Amino acid sequence: GAVVSQHPSRVICKSGTSVKIECRSLDFQATTMFWYRQFPKQSLMLMATSNEGSKATYEQGVEKDKFLINHASLTLSTLTVTSAHPEDSSFYICSAFRDTLNTEAFFGQGTRLTVV
Amino acid sequence: GDSVTQMEGPVTLSEEAFLTINCTYTATGYPSLFWYVQYPGEGLQLLLKATKADDKGSNKGFEATYRKETTSFHLEKGSVQVSDSAVYFCALSPNQAGTALIFGKGTTLSVSS
């Protein structure tokens, strides 16, 4: 089946540094990818919709300058957490639909970010 | 807007017990419905799906039927195992290109032997 690969699975960084998370669709092309954030014991919160070749669409309350999204190719989207702070520590998950009818979404393995 | 309401957890069961996790939705169009499962520290895995009314999704002993008349997609399993312990998410896709899934809040299931 379709696979979405996310890397790294875990990262620890110091406050003030930036971290890049990659999301790749391995066996299909994804013009649109989605980035979610999940707090402990809570549901997934959509952060932004990443569109290949154009600017990402951010959900209300998500700082676009802090969470930089780049979707440079049909198989890769990146999320960069800039000037990270401890409150940015969370579980980040990407997903993509394999088909244009949005009948099934595939998710990356998630990235556990810890900012110290 | 479209939304998903999922029963609050946690749900604690003994092995071989019957499981039901309720999920209802509101949608303006004709959505597809999904159940995803998340094991600790991992991403989401699709458990089952249904794309139109009266469809029944099934996988690994889990079932859910798309009920348009009650706008529901309840997850059931006749006999749970310890390995079923996880967080279960009900989700909806509005079936519009470029539109993200809408998730319920998730239900934690703990099964003891």
Side-chain angles (χ1 to χ4, degrees):
Chain A
V3 178
V4 172
S5 177
Q6 191 172 337
H7 177 80
S9 58
R10 292 179 177 274
V11 58
I12 300 173
C13 70
K14 294 184 177 180
S15 288
T17 62
S18 295
V19 173
K20 179 184 285 188
I21 303 169
E22 293 186 348
C23 181
R24 294 181 184 274
S25 56
L26 297 185
D27 58 354
F28 65 100
Q29 294 182 332
T31 56
T32 303
M33 291 185 176
F34 305 95
W35 287 96
Y36 294 85
R37 181 173 181 176
Q38 186 180 30
F39 293 99
K41 301 186 186 300
Q42 295 189 27
S43 189
L44 282 72
M45 181 192 77
L46 180 65
M47 298 175 65
T49 301
S50 171
N51 303 298
E52 188 268 334
S54 64
K55 291 183 178 180
T57 304
Y58 290 82
E59 296 300 301
Q60 190 173 7
V62 178
E63 299 176 62
K64 62 180 181 181
D65 294 330
K66 166 168 274 297
F67 299 101
L68 299 179
I69 291 173
N70 184 278
H71 195 152
S73 78
L74 288 171
T75 59
L76 174 63
S77 175
T78 60
L79 168 67
T80 301
V81 183
T82 63
S83 187
H85 289 96
E87 57 264 32
D88 298 325
S89 299
S90 193
F91 194 59
Y92 294 88
I93 307 176
C94 68
S95 82
F97 286 101
R98 179 172 57 183
D99 60 85
T100 57
L101 293 178
N102 287 7
T103 56
E104 184 172 349
F106 293 89
F107 288 80
Q109 305 93 319
T111 298
R112 171 69 62 193
L113 170 63
T114 303
V115 184
V116 298
Chain B
D2 295 356
S3 65
V4 174
T5 302
Q6 191 175 338
M7 67 182 284
E8 300 267 341
V11 174
T12 303
L13 297 172
S14 298
E15 208 166 21
E16 299 183 2
F18 184 85
L19 168 71
T20 300
I21 301 178
N22 290 337
C23 172
T24 58
Y25 67 92
T26 58
T28 53
Y30 302 92
S32 296
L33 302 173
F34 307 84
W35 278 99
Y36 282 87
V37 58
Q38 184 180 34
Y39 297 100
E42 298 184 12
L44 273 67
Q45 301 175 27
L46 178 67
L47 181 60
L48 54 85
K49 68 177 182 180
T51 58
K52 61 183 187 299
D54 299 326
D55 271 1
K56 177 186 283 188
S58 62
N59 185 27
K60 300 180 181 179
F62 291 90
E63 293 183 341
T65 301
Y66 189 150
R67 302 282 188 203
K68 190 173 182 182
E69 63 275 14
T70 54
T71 61
S72 65
F73 193 56
H74 305 321
L75 182 68
E76 296 182 336
K77 186 174 185 181
S79 177
V80 294
Q81 305 300 312
V82 173
S83 57
D84 294 328
S85 298
V87 181
Y88 292 82
F89 292 95
C90 185
L92 173 159
S93 170
N95 286 335
Q96 298 169 6
T99 304
L101 290 181
I102 298 167
F103 285 91
K105 292 188 175 182
T107 302
T108 299
L109 170 65
S110 296
V111 180
S112 58
S113 58

